[in-house]
Each structure stands twice: as structure tokens, then as C-alpha cells.
Amino acid sequence: MLQSAVVLRLGTMMLAAGAGSYRVKSSMAKAAAAVGLDRHEATVTMTEIVTSSYVGDCFRTETAEVRRVGVNVDRLEALRRIVHDLRQHERVEQLDKKLDEVQHMHARYGVFANAAASGVACAGFCFLNQGGWVECLAVLFAAFFGQVIRRQMLERHFQHFFTWIVCGVGASSVYMALVTLLGALDLIDGNHQGGIISAILFLIPGFPMVTAMLDLVRQDFSSAISRASYVMLVMAAAGVAVWTVTFVFHWDVEASYTYNPEGLLLYGLRIFCSFIAAYGFAMLFNAGPKAAGLAATVGALANTGRLLLIDEFGVPWQLAVGLAAVTIGLLAQAFVSRASLSRVALSVPAVVIMIPGVPFYRAISALNDQTVDANAAVGVAATNLAEVFFVITAIGVGLAMARILTDRRWRHDIPTSAVAALLPSHGSASEPGRS
């Protein structure tokens, strides 16, 4: 009973910190072998785990529900190190003590730093979406305010759908107020309404989106479908929120921008904005400075290369995104052994900046726009949704291909329960773990 309970506890902690199904099941299988169980099987969704632990002909089936799901890279890294250091004949009490230490870990960043990361990341995102200095500045403050609201609501256990709606309304309202105020003071001219969408890009659920795609590639459909459903739910909530605000105040999310940098200046700015956007998202995921810096470097190189392929060489954007995702996966693997960090900690913040949040929210707005021809609105929505679908698919395929090329356990269809077949004994050396 104690053996199966500590294994299940490890799994629930990893799931609550944002780990994908494969990582949760393989970690539990290794822990089960370490504490003396003969075999361990598990079914994992985004919020539930069902496990069966075997000793000889006896087995015990347990279930657990994880309601407080989120992303915490720092905690995931701590749990990964615990799993990597497991040895044969591990004492249950010792493993439980290690999990207690992880359970009591505090967030790396306070409210201000966390909100500032959101603002800077979305401002960088705004520039990459062709926003000018007015849009980027307004997005900086709007996303800062929105992240403060989200953190406070999540700490008070508010429901995610409701939280995303409130944050979407709050961030878009702040953006609208700032741009309106600057216009009333004659400090700006022109139409800067379209940048409002970038103000809510911090609400993109990048981590579950990526893990859903990777779970799907491994044919773990129960986890992939539940994560994908969650992603669609919260993105729809944010989309409805921004549409409501823009509809009430008659704002145009298709507004054009005025900035036109070219040449080396353009690509220098893209590298810089890609770096700060990826670094900011890594901080939102509670990644440490080293993980955030490496992820930002990987993201800046790959994303700028993607834009270069599209603009200068005419590469189709789906192919460019797929190549960038493969590059991110391979670069993350190259840094894994040197930095003793997991792939997911380095790759997810880097690919998040390529997720097409703007087209998704524009599609929501187009579907609800009653001021234009219905067929035209449906056409705009369909075009944007097609772009979202193909870009997300390209990201998933790219990351999966990188993983298949660098991980034998992804090239072959090996049962997850078999990954713990050879555990080192106490006192033996082993190479740094990779995940």
C-alpha cells in the first residue's frame, strides 16, 4: 500500500506541474521498480490518473484526481532529478521525504516579476506580429495587468474558464484605455486598435498544447484529447472576452500598422524580440534563469530563421514552422547534456512564440462580426483557423521528429512500463538523465 501510494503521489505531482503523459507514466514505472513493485501500469489524462501496481499475482488499483493543473518547470526539474537518482531497493520513506521537499518549493518569481515577464513577452510577441512602438507599449502594460489578475485568481482556485474570460476582458480593456488616452492627448495618430489581440497572448496555453501534440504522436489518446479539449476551452474563453470588448466599443482587430524597418535592423529586432518573448514565457512557466536563457536563445535563433525563410526565400510558412520546430528540438537536445536540463524546459518556451494566437482570436472576431457580409466573415474565419491548424500541426510534427531522431524510446513502440527494466543499484554511477 505504501509503495503504490508514493508512486501515485509522484505521478500526481508531475501531472500538476504540467508533465506530459509519457513522462508521468515512465517516471511512475521507474519509481515503482525502485520501491519493489514488480510491474506498474497507468492511464493518465490531464486531470486524472488510474494506476495498477503488481507484486506477484496480487495487484492494487488506485485513482487520483488532479484539479490544480498548471505549469511549473522548476518543480518538474526537481522531480526529474529525483526520478533520475532512483536506485534499486529505494526506501519508500526516503522517496516520500524528497517529494515533501518538492511539495514545499515556492515560486521563483514574485507577483511583480511574474507580471513583468508577461508584459515583456507579449510586447515582443506584438512586434513579431508587426506591431509598432505604440502597440508594443500598450501591450506591455495591458499584459502586465492581465497576468496580475490571472495569478491572483489562480491562487484563489478560481475555475480556469472563468479566469481566462476575466483576464481577457481586463487586459484588452487596459489596452483600449491606454490607446484611447494617448489619442485623446494627441500623442499618437493613426489606427492602433489591432494590437489589442497581442495584449492577451499571455493566455495562450502553450505548455498543454505542446504536450497534447506529443501525447498524440505517441498514440496516448486519452491524455492528448483531454489536453487538446482544455486548450480549446481556455483559448475560446479568451477569444470571446476580447471579441466582447471590441464589439462593445466598435474596435477593428484587423487594423494596419505603420512601422517598416528593413534589412539588418529588422532581423536584429526580430532576434531581440524573439529572445525576450521566449524568456518571458519561460519565466511564466517558473523556469530558472539558466533554463530561461537557453530556451530564449534557442527560440530567438529558430524563430528568426523561420521568418528569414518565409520573407527572403519564399518557403511556405507551414514548412518553415516545421523546420524551426525540428531545429528547436535538436538544439534543446544539444543543450540537455551540458546544462542538465530536460528537453521540455528548453523547447516549449521556444516554440510558444510561434503559436499563432493572433489568427485564432481574429477568427473568433470574424465569426461574431455582424457588421460585414456573413460569407466574407466566414471566409476570414476559415482562413485564420486553417492557418492556426497547420501551424500547430507543423510544430507538433517538428518536435516529434526531433524527439524520434534523438531518443530510441520514441523511435520504437516500447511500452511505458518497460522503461524501468534496468535500474542502477545504490552506489553505482550513471549518466545525467534526459527527459
Side-chain angles (χ1 to χ4, degrees):
M1 177 177 180
L2 293 177
Q3 294 165 307
S4 61
V6 74
V7 173
L8 182 58
R9 184 187 180 194
L10 170 66
T12 57
M13 289 178 66
M14 297 194 75
L15 191 62
S21 174
Y22 172 76
R23 184 52 48 198
V24 172
K25 291 196 286 188
S26 61
S27 297
M28 286 195 295
K30 187 173 182 180
V35 298
L37 297 175
D38 293 339
R39 186 160 59 93
H40 188 272
E41 303 286 350
T43 298
V44 178
T45 68
M46 185 171 179
T47 57
E48 296 174 329
I49 300 179
V50 180
T51 64
S52 292
S53 304
Y54 295 81
V55 177
D57 295 330
C58 299
F59 70 92
R60 179 183 182 86
T61 298
E62 298 173 287
T63 64
E65 184 179 30
V66 182
R67 299 303 304 177
R68 296 195 65 187
V69 294
V71 180
N72 191 327
V73 169
D74 199 36
R75 183 168 292 186
L76 275 179
E77 286 298 303
L79 292 170
R80 182 190 65 85
R81 288 191 292 270
I82 289 174
V83 172
H84 169 257
D85 293 338
L86 288 172
R87 300 292 185 269
Q88 293 178 5
H89 312 298
E90 189 83 22
R91 294 179 58 217
V92 172
E93 296 81 6
Q94 186 64 25
L95 180 55
D96 232 353
K97 183 179 179 181
K98 294 178 182 178
L99 295 180
D100 284 337
E101 294 174 357
V102 176
Q103 190 76 50
H104 292 96
M105 290 174 61
H106 296 291
R108 278 184 171 269
Y109 309 104
V111 175
F112 180 84
N114 182 258
S118 172
V120 171
C122 288
F125 223 147
C126 182
F127 178 84
L128 296 173
N129 288 317
Q130 299 185 339
W133 73 267
V134 175
E135 287 81 13
C136 292
L137 182 62
V139 164
L140 175 66
F141 288 99
F144 178 97
F145 179 77
Q147 178 60 20
V148 170
I149 297 176
R150 180 168 69 166
R151 178 158 175 162
Q152 296 301 318
M153 292 186 70
L154 292 180
E155 287 180 352
R156 289 163 175 76
H157 303 180
F158 279 94
Q159 203 264 358
H160 283 202
F161 178 80
F162 177 60
T163 299
W164 260 244
I165 287 182
V166 172
C167 293
V169 171
S172 54
S173 297
V174 170
Y175 180 92
M176 182 178 297
L178 287 173
V179 171
T180 302
L181 177 61
L182 290 174
L185 296 175
D186 292 327
L187 297 177
I188 59 173
D189 55 11
N191 185 354
H192 303 281
Q193 296 179 359
I196 193 171
I197 295 179
S198 296
I200 63 169
L201 292 180
F202 68 96
L203 295 174
I204 292 177
F207 222 92
M209 185 180 292
V210 171
T211 53
M213 292 185 291
L214 294 177
D215 286 342
L216 188 61
V217 169
R218 287 194 59 85
Q219 303 175 51
D220 196 341
F221 298 114
S222 58
S223 176
I225 292 174
S226 62
R227 290 175 188 273
S229 300
Y230 170 81
V231 168
M232 294 179 64
L233 177 72
V234 296
M235 287 188 68
V240 169
V242 73
W243 170 80
T244 301
V245 173
T246 55
F247 175 77
V248 169
F249 293 96
H250 306 289
W251 272 45
D252 179 15
V253 298
E254 295 289 347
S256 59
Y257 303 104
T258 57
Y259 92 107
N260 289 299
E262 296 179 352
L264 293 178
L265 175 61
L266 172 62
Y267 287 100
L269 290 172
R270 283 177 171 177
I271 291 174
F272 174 72
C273 289
S274 297
F275 183 91
I276 63 172
Y279 197 101
F281 278 111
M283 288 181 64
L284 289 181
F285 299 151
N286 199 44
K290 180 164 67 172
L294 290 174
T297 301
V298 169
L301 294 174
N303 190 53
T304 305
R306 171 183 71 91
L307 297 173
L308 178 65
L309 289 176
I310 295 173
D311 295 343
E312 304 297 333
F313 298 97
V315 175
W317 45 265
Q318 303 98 319
L319 178 58
V321 169
L323 292 174
V326 172
T327 301
I328 288 171
L330 295 177
L331 288 176
Q333 171 61 26
F335 284 129
V336 161
S337 57
R338 291 178 173 82
S340 188
L341 293 167
S342 64
R343 292 182 184 91
V344 69
L346 300 179
S347 61
V348 174
V351 300
V352 165
I353 60 177
M354 297 192 300
I355 293 175
V358 170
F360 177 83
Y361 296 127
R362 284 180 176 165
I364 296 292
S365 297
L367 287 174
N368 286 281
D369 192 350
Q370 301 177 4
T371 64
V372 299
D373 180 74
N375 292 330
V378 171
V380 171
T383 300
N384 282 289
L385 289 176
E387 179 178 351
V388 172
F389 172 78
F390 284 115
V391 169
I392 290 176
T393 301
I395 291 173
V397 170
L399 289 178
M401 285 302 301
R403 195 67 181 266
I404 289 169
L405 291 172
T406 58
D407 191 337
R408 178 183 62 85
R409 291 171 295 184
W410 279 65
R411 285 194 297 273
H412 302 278
D413 196 5
I414 301 173
T416 313
S417 58
V419 300
L422 296 174
L423 272 174
S425 59
H426 281 280
S428 64
S430 61
E431 294 183 1
R434 297 172 173 81
S435 62

